[in-house]
């Protein structure tokens, strides 16, 4: 990665040295400095409002964002956003608590609100696409000869994901109910465009996807690549996500799993430029809060 693409803590302190700089960015992103009456907005000293110098109309720029009614200083918010942006393997609330010097509840809320603001792109994946499913979470042991396998699998969450090959290929990942043919076909129709090549393993659920140029490898026969036919890219991403969740978060509930996946997808899709990724993340957080 070129030096111009990196974004360090020194860059953050230079760009946002105080509360006023953070608030100014929020205002300039969401509003114009020029008022409709012909006046100009300026920040009121010691307050989080801007006021027109002519008609005296006031705007609180943070009121429509996730920063609304937050007692946490904006400088700490921006520091947390910076940490999140660079934490490609995730960051726990306890770690953020230690770094920012805030309470655990505050750190958890910040991370939760950041993750909820990250929505995956709606555009379909073009070209050569790899697709696979994986199981997350759950407790229990399948036992001898896998006699308890069905009960153990039922406690897990199913995640289906697809990645477009190439330097700037993106990922789509969704929590599903199962890996049935209906579920897989629905995922493909939503996220993968026709006309390209679809790479999968030899699972039965893919067999009805005859409208796509389908190629598969048979893992049951220890076949992991046949020429350019493989799903190593998406399997590598799944491996990274599983190791990161186990090492960073220890466990993630089914209720919050999708938001954690959205964060990992965001980091993968914006992996080439630290500075741009921080800007994209800020832009997502400055959308009106829901």
């Amino acid at each position: 990665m070129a030096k111009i693409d990196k974004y360090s803590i020194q860059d953050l302190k230079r760009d946002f040295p105080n509360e006023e700089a953070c608030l100014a960015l929020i205002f300039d992103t969401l509003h114009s400095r020029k008022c409709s009456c012909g006046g100009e907005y300026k920040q009121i000293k010691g307050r989080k409002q801007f006021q027109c110098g002519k008609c005296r109309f006031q705007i609180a720029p943070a009121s429509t964002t996730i920063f609304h009614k937050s007692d946490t200083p904006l400088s700490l918010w921006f520091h947390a956003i910076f940490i999140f942006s660079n934490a490609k393997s995730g960051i726990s609330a306890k770690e953020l608590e230690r770094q920012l010097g805030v309470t655990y509840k505050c750190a958890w809320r910040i991370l939760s609100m950041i993750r909820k603001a990250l929505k995956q792109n709606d555009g379909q994946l073009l070209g050569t696409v790899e697709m696979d499913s994986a199981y997350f979470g759950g407790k229990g042991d399948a036992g001898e000869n896998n006699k308890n396998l069905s009960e153990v699998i039922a406690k897990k969450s199913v995640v289906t994901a697809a990645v477009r090959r190439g330097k700037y290929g993106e990922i789509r990942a969704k929590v599903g109910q199962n890996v049935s043919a209906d579920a897989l076909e629905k995922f493909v129709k939503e996220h993968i465009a026709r006309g390209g090549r679809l790479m999968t393993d030899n699972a039965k659920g893919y067999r009805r996807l005859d409208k796509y140029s389908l190629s598969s490898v048979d893992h049951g026969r220890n076949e992991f690549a046949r020429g350019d036919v493989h799903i190593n890219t998406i399997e590598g991403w799944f491996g990274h996500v599983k190791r990161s969740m186990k090492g960073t978060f220890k466990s993630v509930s089914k209720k919050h799993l999708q938001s954690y996946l959205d964060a990992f997808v965001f980091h993968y899709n914006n992996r080439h430029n630290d500075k741009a990724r921080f800007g994209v993340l800020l832009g997502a957080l400055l959308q009106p809060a829901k």
Side-chain angles (χ1 to χ4, degrees):
M1 185 182 294
K3 185 175 181 180
I4 193 174
D5 297 332
K6 296 181 179 179
Y7 198 73
S8 67
I9 187 66
Q10 296 182 36
D11 299 318
L12 179 74
K13 291 181 177 180
R14 180 198 63 219
D15 295 339
F16 306 103
N18 49 44
E19 294 291 295
E20 289 73 20
C22 298
L23 192 64
L25 175 78
I26 298 173
F27 184 91
D28 292 335
T29 301
L30 302 176
H31 306 279
S32 171
R33 293 277 180 161
K34 295 293 183 180
C35 182
S36 58
C37 72
E40 183 176 351
Y41 283 101
K42 292 184 178 180
Q43 184 179 355
I44 303 174
K45 188 176 181 180
R47 297 179 62 187
K48 293 183 178 180
Q49 285 85 24
F50 282 72
Q51 180 173 275
C52 174
K54 187 175 181 181
C55 68
R56 318 300 288 177
F57 184 78
Q58 294 184 8
I59 295 177
S63 62
T64 60
T65 70
I66 64 173
F67 311 116
H68 182 50
K69 291 186 177 180
S70 174
D71 294 330
T72 305
L74 289 174
S75 56
L76 284 185
W77 266 101
F78 275 52
H79 194 159
I81 294 167
F82 165 79
I83 294 172
F84 184 96
S85 175
N86 282 345
K88 297 181 182 180
S89 294
I91 180 170
S92 68
K94 288 299 293 183
E95 175 65 19
L96 190 66
E97 172 193 352
R98 288 188 288 267
Q99 291 205 34
L100 297 185
V102 296
T103 64
Y104 175 79
K105 182 178 179 180
C106 176
W108 190 93
R109 178 177 179 273
I110 289 174
L111 291 176
S112 177
M113 296 189 75
I114 292 176
R115 284 192 293 265
K116 288 180 180 178
L118 300 177
K119 302 302 179 183
Q120 298 182 34
N121 295 333
D122 296 328
Q124 292 187 317
L125 301 174
L126 304 170
T128 301
V129 178
E130 300 176 23
M131 180 175 168
D132 196 17
S133 298
Y135 292 89
F136 286 76
K139 293 182 179 180
D141 189 344
E144 186 178 357
N145 297 322
N146 290 331
K147 63 179 181 180
N148 300 322
L149 182 61
S150 59
E151 291 83 354
V152 172
I153 292 296
K155 297 177 182 178
K156 293 181 177 291
S157 299
V158 180
V159 176
T160 301
V163 58
R164 178 188 176 186
R165 284 187 188 171
K167 182 177 180 181
Y168 296 102
E170 293 189 349
I171 279 182
R172 305 286 185 268
K174 298 293 181 180
V175 177
Q177 297 297 322
N178 50 56
V179 289
S180 66
D182 289 338
L184 294 177
E185 185 177 19
K186 180 181 178 181
F187 180 91
V188 170
K189 287 182 177 179
E190 289 181 356
H191 302 292
I192 302 176
R194 294 186 183 181
R197 299 175 67 197
L198 179 59
M199 307 290 181
T200 68
D201 58 19
N202 203 36
K204 294 180 180 180
Y206 297 114
R207 295 177 183 176
R208 71 164 62 168
L209 300 175
D210 52 1
K211 297 178 180 179
Y212 296 81
S213 178
L214 185 64
S215 301
S216 61
V217 289
D218 191 348
H219 289 171
R221 297 183 178 180
N222 290 324
E223 182 187 46
F224 298 97
R226 187 176 66 257
D228 68 341
V229 179
H230 62 80
I231 55 173
N232 295 337
T233 310
I234 193 63
E235 285 188 327
W237 182 79
F238 268 129
H240 167 71
V241 173
K242 285 191 171 185
R243 290 191 299 271
S244 298
M245 285 193 175
K246 185 176 182 180
T248 303
F249 306 113
K250 309 308 178 188
S251 64
V252 177
S253 68
K254 290 184 178 182
K255 177 181 178 181
H256 298 291
L257 179 58
Q258 185 61 59
S259 67
Y260 282 80
L261 288 174
D262 292 340
F264 282 106
V265 168
F266 167 79
H267 278 96
Y268 183 89
N269 293 348
N270 296 276
R271 61 193 178 279
H272 297 292
N273 190 312
D274 292 347
K275 187 175 183 179
R277 183 173 59 254
F278 178 75
V280 171
L281 182 55
L282 265 180
L285 296 175
L286 291 180
Q287 299 300 314
K290 296 181 181 180

